[in-house]
Amino acid sequence: MAPSPTGRFHLGSARTALFDFLLARKTGGQFILRLEDTDQKRFVEGSEEEIMRSLDWLGITPDESPIHGGRFGPYRQTERRELYQSHAKALVEKGHAYPCFCTPERLEQSRKDQEARKVDRVRYDGLCRALDPSDAAKRVASGEKYVIRFKMPHEGSTTAHDHLRGDIVTENKYLDDNVILKSDGLPTYHLAAMVDDHEMEITHVMRGSEWLSTFPLHVNIVRAFGWEEPVWIHLSLFLKPSGKGKMSKRDNADVMKDGRTVFVDDMKDLGYTSEGVLNWIALMGWGVAEDDVMSLDDMIQRFSIDTLTPSPAAINFQRLDHFNGTHIRLLTTEDLSARIKPYFVAAGLPVEDEALLKITPLIRERLVTLDDCLTFASFFFKDAVSPTPDDLIAKGLDAKQSAEIARKCFEIVSALPDLSHQTAEPPMRAYVESAGLNANQVFGILRVAVTGQKVSPPLFESMEIIGREKVLARLQDAITILENLSVSP
RNA sequence: GCCCCCAUCGUCUAGUGGACUAGGACGCAGCCCUUUCAAGGCUACGACCGGGGUUCGAAUCCCCGUGGGGGCACCA
């Protein structure tokens, strides 16, 4: 994969990386990370690190990269500039490209003129294309500033083959003489990517379909060099959740309002698992007929470039939540415990590993994101909970009656030789029965008293983990709250 | 404006001329299970963009519309 370090690493790049990785594993090839850092103006400090961090987290670490090395390095394009310059020169010598001395001002003027004439497509007017090659060479030698443009044929058409879309035929008259080497001596994407793909022996090019419009240019460059073409695959685009428009980095602000993100590096903090994210993005642009819950290994087994889909796909965060929850449930108790522990620690709760191992099975199927563990299990680690009086009063009863029930619960637990879910439940049920109450009322009060909240993991199992002493203390607190309520309404 | 790509339930998709009464998943609704919330099980709702062809037969092939998307830089 070959991202440019010009911003944050988002879902679309991650999906491309995943498919690259899967294809490499499937075919016994190498998964390479190449950084397309030829635009110095747009370079963003730290984005290279973010790309690698994101790939690592997803579990698709490159085999070759700027930091991992490899036999095709260097893997940053700015470190390969001579390579592109010599290739650009070769193209000029073969008559497939030419130096252009037009100033940005002249180009701007030409553009304006064309717009005024309402031409269909604004493009380079070809002034320097008409120059005598030896004259041009002299001007270059004299130190005049120039760029190199690719000489597109004016006649005929270009047929480019995409593995998903078949032949794409473009009339050459619609094409432009694009700049392939900039005046700063660095190449544009068009040259750099083609040269590197060839030099690095890239067999398959998978990229977003926003590249379709420059596809004819690219195949013309490859053919001008006389190189063998890779298999070209233009992947489906990711659309905004609304389906209106391409998903972009700028959409993150909107998405964040709902606690979502399009940046892979933020996913972990939001409680997403790499398994969930991977499964989610894999299924956009790839049609899998069978069971769609897949691990990375499953994906490697099933991946095929023949089952990729060309149409744009709207991202759907509800689906991410579904896959995240599903993969959380697939985790072992030990693994899940280790993954949720940092959230308790970050919240300043004194989490004990032994207790956590017992708690994890109780909350596992309730978690959509890992940080949900806080809402479901924080009460285990607190000294005391602070239920609201409203929550403590059972439906259909008043404070006095609720206090009575809490007192009875206290008595039952006190009478127990030891507190476990097996020992506590039968006497509680017997009490519910004999008092003519319903289980919802009694267990509701007990739940709020013990956990401080109306929604919790299974009550008796939770009480067992909290321990008799703490349970009694919390019940006592609840009784006090309810009694204060009934004497001073 | 011009060029290009795409088109099956709200969303992601299966489907490659007959096995389609169009399958699955998410979401949504209901039921079951149940001490809460989940999870799980079951059921319901829900689509071949329109029009022409080709063919004995079209979701599938062709054409034209329409709609959606992308691109038109010394950015990638």
Side-chain angles (χ1 to χ4, degrees), chain A residues 190-477:
Chain A
H190 313 303
L191 208 224
M194 296 312 112
V195 169
D196 285 342
D197 286 348
H198 176 255
E199 292 290 318
M200 295 180 175
E201 299 174 14
I202 301 300
T203 56
H204 295 71
V205 173
M206 289 193 267
R207 48 165 24 174
S209 62
E210 66 265 29
W211 290 106
L212 236 23
S213 56
T214 43
F215 190 18
L217 199 219
H218 299 152
V219 302
N220 273 301
I221 291 175
V222 171
R223 289 168 191 172
F225 280 117
W227 294 333
E228 195 183 331
E229 282 181 57
V231 174
W232 301 97
I233 298 170
H234 291 88
L235 266 11
S236 69
L237 244 29
F238 280 4
L239 268 26
K240 301 173 202 276
S242 64
K244 300 281 177 203
K246 178 168 82 152
M247 182 209 79
S248 79
K249 300 169 186 182
R250 290 177 298 281
D251 295 324
N252 202 244
D254 281 342
V255 156
M256 280 297 270
K257 277 183 267 175
D258 304 320
R260 269 51 205 256
T261 179
V262 301
F263 299 129
V264 175
D265 200 36
D266 293 339
M267 296 271 173
K268 187 179 183 179
D269 286 343
L270 291 176
Y272 289 104
T273 61
S274 61
E275 292 89 339
V277 174
L278 241 21
N279 204 152
W280 179 49
I281 59 179
L283 259 18
M284 284 185 281
W286 177 20
V288 179
E290 322 90 285
D291 184 9
D292 58 7
V293 175
M294 298 184 287
S295 66
L296 233 201
D297 284 339
D298 295 332
M299 292 182 210
I300 294 170
Q301 288 295 315
R302 295 179 189 174
F303 188 75
S304 161
I305 55 171
D306 297 333
T307 51
L308 266 17
T309 57
S311 33
I315 54 174
N316 180 341
F317 288 102
Q318 284 183 322
R319 216 161 175 244
L320 168 60
D321 286 346
H322 165 255
F323 281 118
N324 203 241
T326 302
H327 278 97
I328 284 174
R329 272 169 252 134
L330 254 22
L331 261 24
T332 63
T333 299
E334 290 71 22
D335 191 353
L336 181 55
S337 293
R339 294 204 207 195
I340 58 179
K341 186 176 175 181
Y343 294 95
F344 293 112
V345 173
L349 264 12
V351 47
E352 301 147 27
D353 290 340
E354 205 184 325
L356 187 57
L357 245 20
K358 287 189 217 154
I359 293 165
T360 299
L362 261 37
I363 62 173
R364 176 190 277 121
E365 60 265 26
R366 280 158 248 265
L367 304 180
V368 173
T369 51
L370 292 172
D371 59 331
D372 286 342
C373 67
L374 253 21
T375 68
F376 284 113
S378 288
F379 67 85
F380 284 109
F381 304 112
K382 290 179 178 164
D383 288 334
V385 293
S386 35
T388 68
D390 271 2
D391 287 348
L392 276 170
I393 298 169
K395 211 173 172 193
L397 302 176
D398 60 22
K400 203 173 170 205
Q401 293 166 307
S402 298
E404 184 56 38
I405 291 172
R407 251 190 306 272
K408 189 68 191 173
C409 289
F410 185 94
E411 280 170 32
I412 292 170
V413 175
S414 309
L416 256 27
D418 71 305
L419 177 59
S420 75
H421 67 278
Q422 293 98 328
T423 57
E425 189 164 352
M428 289 300 307
R429 288 208 181 271
Y431 161 59
V432 169
E433 193 98 353
S434 64
L437 294 158
N438 71 49
N440 270 327
Q441 294 172 317
V442 176
F443 294 158
I445 292 169
L446 187 56
R447 180 187 315 281
V448 174
V450 171
T451 70
Q453 51 201 56
K454 294 176 95 161
V455 172
S456 82
L459 185 52
F460 294 107
E461 281 85 345
S462 298
M463 285 167 54
E464 178 178 334
I465 294 167
I466 293 167
R468 176 171 148 140
E469 214 171 303
K470 259 186 167 176
V471 167
L472 288 173
R474 290 181 186 187
L475 272 168
Q476 185 53 59
D477 288 346

